[in-house]
Amino acid sequence: MWKFLKEDVDVVFEQDPAARSYLEVILTYSGLHAIWAHRLAHFFFKKKLFFIARVISQISRFFTGIEIHPGAVIGRRFFIDHGMGVVIGETCIIGDNVTLYQGVTLGGTGKERGKRHPTLEDNVLVATGAKVLGSIVIGENSKVGAGSVVLKSVPANATVVGIPGKVVIQDGVKVKPDLNHQDMPDPMMDKCESMEMKIAELKREIERLKNA
């Protein structure tokens, strides 16, 4: 246990150049506090002491601004930078050496049961404000860009950006953008096309009435 706790502290020094001393990190880093509280809550969750587990997670949320469901499975050397607004769902599985920044959501897409939250494999980085939703897999060594919304699984060694998230780099090589626009959801364009069809229909009706 002490080895894992020390790893949680050491990864802060590796990831955050602002970290100056062990005392500062242990006393002031909310991401570290949230991870330690989760490890305790998860222990009780596995023992089926669900109420105690939820109480610990909610107290942690109150003090840190980070919500981690006690059922989430989190690997070693997990790092949350700043962390305010981070949400991690119940069925999330997070591998080793994963980094999340503030405002990240690892959530579901509805009221489905079973595995409904993402799986992040080893060495994944999810940048500020990104949303990873549903029972999808983010492959090892992949990165999710700031503000992205990822709804489909991402292969290993990839970088995904945008809304919805698109892979732009795969194995260090830029991926040509998909310009097949009919496959890209665009609610505003769909609405405009619907209005244009309605206007054309009304024009034809007016012409018919004029010629009657």
Side-chain angles (χ1 to χ4, degrees):
M1 182 185 69
W2 291 111
K3 179 181 177 181
F4 290 162
L5 295 178
K6 186 176 184 301
E7 280 186 345
D8 291 333
V9 176
D10 289 341
V11 75
V12 174
F13 287 98
E14 293 176 13
Q15 298 282 356
D16 188 357
R20 295 180 178 84
S21 69
Y22 278 97
L23 184 64
E24 177 188 24
V25 169
I26 292 171
L27 294 180
T28 67
Y29 273 63
S30 60
L32 182 64
H33 300 159
I35 293 166
W36 283 352
H38 170 73
R39 299 205 189 283
L40 179 61
H42 187 64
F43 170 82
F44 286 109
F45 189 88
K46 290 193 297 183
K47 298 293 185 182
K48 299 189 183 303
L49 298 172
F50 302 124
F51 178 74
I52 296 175
R54 288 291 285 178
V55 168
I56 294 171
S57 70
Q58 291 303 299
I59 292 173
S60 173
R61 177 191 179 190
F62 178 81
F63 283 105
T64 66
I66 299 168
E67 181 174 348
I68 308 176
H69 193 285
V73 177
I74 298 178
R76 298 168 61 177
R77 299 173 61 79
F78 180 50
F79 178 57
I80 302 176
D81 193 10
H82 297 290
M84 180 62 70
V86 166
V87 177
I88 300 175
E90 178 184 9
T91 61
C92 279
I93 300 175
I94 298 176
D96 297 335
N97 301 304
V98 171
T99 299
L100 305 184
Y101 288 86
Q102 65 268 27
V104 167
T105 298
L106 305 179
T109 57
K111 296 182 179 179
E112 67 273 16
R113 296 185 178 276
K115 183 71 169 72
R116 60 192 184 277
H117 298 106
T119 295
L120 276 57
E121 296 185 343
D122 296 347
N123 306 310
V124 166
L125 183 148
V126 185
T128 303
K131 314 300 177 187
V132 184
L133 307 176
S135 181
I136 61 176
V137 177
I138 308 300
E140 62 181 0
N141 304 312
S142 290
K143 297 179 176 64
V144 177
S148 299
V149 178
V150 183
L151 303 174
K152 296 181 180 180
S153 293
V154 176
N157 306 305
T159 298
V160 60
V161 299
I163 305 175
K166 300 286 185 181
V167 174
V168 294
I169 297 176
Q170 173 74 56
D171 295 319
V173 178
K174 288 186 177 180
V175 177
K176 291 184 179 180
D178 182 3
L179 298 178
N180 195 6
H181 291 286
Q182 68 264 25
D183 294 333
M184 300 174 66
D186 190 338
M188 291 300 296
M189 181 61 70
D190 292 343
K191 188 67 174 178
C192 288
E193 289 178 353
S194 176
M195 292 176 64
E196 287 178 356
M197 292 175 62
K198 190 66 175 178
I199 290 170
E201 182 181 341
L202 290 172
K203 284 182 178 180
R204 288 194 297 270
E205 183 66 17
I206 291 171
E207 288 298 324
R208 187 184 66 80
L209 292 173
K210 283 182 178 180
N211 297 327

